[in-house]
Amino acid sequence: MFAKDIYVARRNELKQKMESGLIILFGNNDASTNYPANTYRFRQDSTFLYYFGQKRDGLVGVIDVDNNREYLIGNDIDIDDIIWMGYTPSVADLAAEVGVEHSAPMSELQKIVNSAKSMGQQIHFLPQYRHDIMIQLSDLVGIHPLTTKDNASVKLIKAIVDMRAIKKPEEVEELKKAADIGYLMHTTAMKECKPGVTEKYVAGIIEGIAMSLGEKYSFQSILSMHGEIQHGYPSTRPMEAGRLMLCDAGAESMEHYCSDNTRVTPISGKFTMQQRGIYSAVEAAHDWVIENSKPGIKWFDIHMGACRIITDHLKQLGLMKGNTDDAVAAGAHAMFMPHGLGHMMGMDVHDMEGLGQVYVGFDDEVRPSTQFGTNCLRCGRRLQPGFVMTDEPGCYFIPHLIDLWKGQGMHKDFINYDEVEKYRNFGGVRLEDDIIITQTGCEVIGDKIIPYHIDDVEAFIAR
Ligand code: GLY
Ligand code: MN
């Protein structure tokens, strides 16, 4: 937990931004896997953590802006819980730790909300992503459980996005800790990647590193010889000489700040000529993003710049043709890169995605695209100092997509389908690092950069 003053200051800033109303911020509850007492590893809600800092399940934070009263709501644990789980401080003690004056049992929450309503106060809540909380909220404010998104407070969403988007020094320290663990995860994956070893084995080892050194991994590791599957989870397949292993994985620090990196390792230890060509395209785009990201520039334009670089390289390799700007404007490059360049990152690996991408990554000036590929871009707006973004260009050969587009004659003025056939079983390449926008440009987060230049990767594996 950060110092108490940090949470007090964050809530005060939120109150100032909101001006009036009653804000309800739900913490998460334990969730069962296969029977009630066998639960998933608990993860607190990130917005709740941001303002109320406590990591226990079953808590709700309430901020009465009009009356300047704050509550931590939750039930104290009883002796049965203590026997099985150990002692946990009372809710009043948890509240005091983060500078909250009032605490109350869960049964009081309805009374607080009813009283606010009777005084004409507006009730502000966020869109919910867990069904138990949807039902709780439904009971509390009298809406259908599935309409929390439609009824959520846009003013509250915007105020929270404004605050969480700019990472403060104490948050950057945590991001660096997650990056350090990420470095160890990825360099270990590169060392363990050998013909005959299963994808699952390597993923298990690196997730173990995340679990031992941090809070946990920041999302289910993507680790596969089929890098063309965007979220290809590890299988029991043994790794094959000559193919590439794509590993997209990260860690969560003890304060729940994330890292998210992707590396591609040649399973035989050396890249083939064909692999070098595609890898170089992605490497050039990745480096260009670091050189060009700075305050004031639209992330949308950085995404498009990276797509143009990949298109230029694919033209040199004979896979694409025609005018680069026209090809990218038409969306032809999206056969090879059907995703966005990167997303915000913080306490959520896709930061604040649950609040609605249109509020997090876009604004009145930059609206989301509807074009295939670019419609997956999770952020387009102008960068500001303190924003943390992932820089993750990629190039993939997705057999079903190739067949579909080829059959439709899609973008045939820009794509050399005969040449593409030679890469049908290639897989995919993605390179990902996390950057923080500074006053003048950006910096890659972490003291040590996971090797990614072709010669560095081969030399690292050889050692
Ligand atoms: N690293 C996985 C993703 O960004 O979707
Ligand atoms: Mn990512």
Side-chain angles (χ1 to χ4, degrees):
M1 184 181 296
F2 297 126
K4 182 201 296 191
D5 294 351
I6 288 180
Y7 300 103
V8 172
R10 286 175 180 174
R11 291 192 303 272
N12 284 342
E13 189 176 339
L14 183 63
K15 280 183 268 189
Q16 253 177 8
K17 283 181 182 293
M18 291 302 292
E19 298 166 308
S20 70
L22 187 90
I23 303 167
I24 312 174
L25 297 174
F26 288 89
N28 277 333
N29 298 317
D30 252 342
S32 301
T33 56
N34 50 338
Y35 58 89
N38 198 12
T39 55
Y40 290 104
R41 189 179 172 82
F42 179 72
R43 172 55 154 86
Q44 187 58 286
D45 176 76
S46 299
T47 299
F48 180 87
L49 274 176
Y50 189 82
Y51 293 103
F52 286 89
Q54 293 294 357
K55 298 171 181 174
R56 211 202 85 173
D57 65 313
L59 298 173
V60 180
V62 174
I63 304 174
D64 180 342
V65 183
D66 303 293
N67 298 298
N68 196 22
R69 265 174 94 90
E70 298 170 340
Y71 305 82
L72 187 66
I73 313 275
N75 295 334
D76 285 335
I77 60 167
D78 58 20
I79 190 64
D80 289 337
D81 293 325
I82 292 171
I83 289 166
W84 290 98
M85 312 295 286
Y87 178 72
T88 302
S90 68
V91 175
D93 288 346
L94 296 177
E97 269 180 9
V98 290
V100 172
E101 198 178 341
H102 305 280
S103 65
M106 201 53 85
S107 55
E108 290 294 305
L109 182 56
Q110 186 76 62
K111 292 179 199 158
I112 293 169
V113 171
N114 288 351
S115 153
K117 273 186 179 168
S118 71
M119 301 299 286
Q121 283 182 275
Q122 195 178 347
I123 311 295
H124 297 280
F125 54 86
L126 296 174
Q128 301 300 321
Y129 53 91
R130 289 202 177 184
H131 292 95
D132 54 334
I133 310 266
M134 288 178 192
I135 293 169
Q136 199 178 350
L137 184 58
S138 161
D139 281 350
L140 211 51
V141 297
I143 55 167
H144 188 278
L146 298 180
T147 63
T148 64
K149 194 169 159 207
D150 304 331
N151 288 292
S153 163
V154 172
K155 186 166 179 168
L156 180 62
I157 293 172
K158 287 185 171 173
I160 290 173
V161 169
D162 267 4
M163 292 180 67
R164 283 183 56 191
I166 311 283
K167 272 53 181 188
K168 297 273 173 48
E170 67 276 5
E171 300 183 276
V172 176
E173 282 311 302
E174 287 296 315
L175 289 161
K176 285 182 177 166
K177 289 178 197 166
D180 286 348
I181 304 169
Y183 176 88
L184 203 58
M185 291 167 74
H186 279 275
T187 48
T188 302
M190 291 165 79
K191 288 178 198 163
E192 294 292 337
C193 171
K194 294 184 190 88
V197 174
T198 67
E199 296 169 355
K200 202 168 178 304
Y201 178 81
V202 180
I205 291 190
I206 66 169
E207 288 181 354
I209 292 173
M211 300 293 279
S212 352
L213 299 179
E215 168 57 29
K216 64 174 188 58
Y217 40 91
S218 50
F219 58 97
Q220 269 196 69
S221 302
I222 296 161
L223 192 148
S224 178
M225 287 182 289
H226 284 280
E228 80 279 10
I229 303 173
Q230 303 300 301
H231 285 176
Y233 296 122
S235 77
T236 50
R237 269 190 301 262
M239 279 193 271
E240 294 161 24
R243 292 193 65 89
L244 298 172
M245 176 189 81
L246 184 148
C247 173
D248 181 348
E252 231 181 74
S253 74
M254 292 309 291
E255 290 306 321
H256 299 285
Y257 284 81
C258 299
S259 65
D260 182 5
N261 300 92
T262 308
R263 290 295 184 265
V264 168
T265 307
I267 296 167
S268 310
K270 293 251 181 231
F271 291 97
T272 64
M273 282 310 288
Q274 198 187 48
Q275 288 165 349
R276 278 179 171 251
I278 300 299
Y279 192 101
S280 300
V282 177
E283 185 185 2
H286 174 275
D287 287 346
W288 182 88
V289 172
I290 296 169
E291 281 153 25
N292 288 277
S293 296
K294 59 179 180 200
I297 198 159
K298 289 180 201 158
W299 188 247
F300 187 88
D301 292 341
I302 295 287
H303 165 87
M304 286 302 175
C307 295
R308 278 194 288 274
I309 290 177
I310 288 177
T311 301
D312 278 337
H313 277 73
L314 294 180
K315 277 167 58 183
Q316 281 164 26
L317 294 169
L319 289 156
M320 290 188 77
K321 58 189 173 181
N323 177 279
T324 300
D325 289 346
D326 293 346
V328 171
H333 65 285
M335 191 175 83
F336 304 97
M337 182 173 146
H339 64 72
L341 175 66
H343 46 88
M344 283 192 166
M345 192 190 73
M347 268 192 285
D348 302 311
V349 70
H350 289 179
D351 212 20
M352 302 177 273
E353 194 162 288
L355 301 187
Q357 210 59 66
V358 72
Y359 302 116
V360 177
F362 297 89
D363 55 18
D364 291 340
E365 185 192 15
V366 189
R367 305 303 298 163
S369 165
T370 52
Q371 189 181 65
F372 175 80
T374 309
N375 59 359
C376 294
L377 184 63
R378 297 175 202 273
C379 178
R381 65 189 172 119
R382 291 184 192 276
L383 299 174
Q384 296 175 33
F387 276 18
V388 169
M389 309 297 303
T390 63
D391 163 17
E392 50 176 315
C395 185
Y396 316 88
F397 294 85
I398 305 167
H400 287 91
L401 186 61
I402 295 170
D403 291 343
L404 182 72
W405 279 29
K406 191 176 171 182
Q408 294 171 340
M410 186 84 105
H411 298 308
K412 58 184 181 344
D413 294 341
F414 299 119
I415 298 172
N416 278 327
Y417 283 102
D418 289 347
E419 210 52 37
V420 170
E421 282 303 328
K422 298 178 189 162
Y423 289 73
R424 171 173 279 277
N425 298 315
F426 180 95
V429 171
R430 176 164 67 252
L431 290 173
E432 178 175 21
D433 283 300
D434 310 322
I435 58 174
I436 181 157
I437 307 303
T438 61
Q439 293 300 326
T440 53
C442 78
E443 281 169 16
V444 177
I445 299 174
D447 293 334
K448 290 190 278 188
I449 303 295
I450 308 157
Y452 72 94
H453 291 297
I454 288 184
D455 294 342
D456 296 342
V457 172
E458 291 185 346
F460 181 85
I461 302 168
R463 279 204 299 276

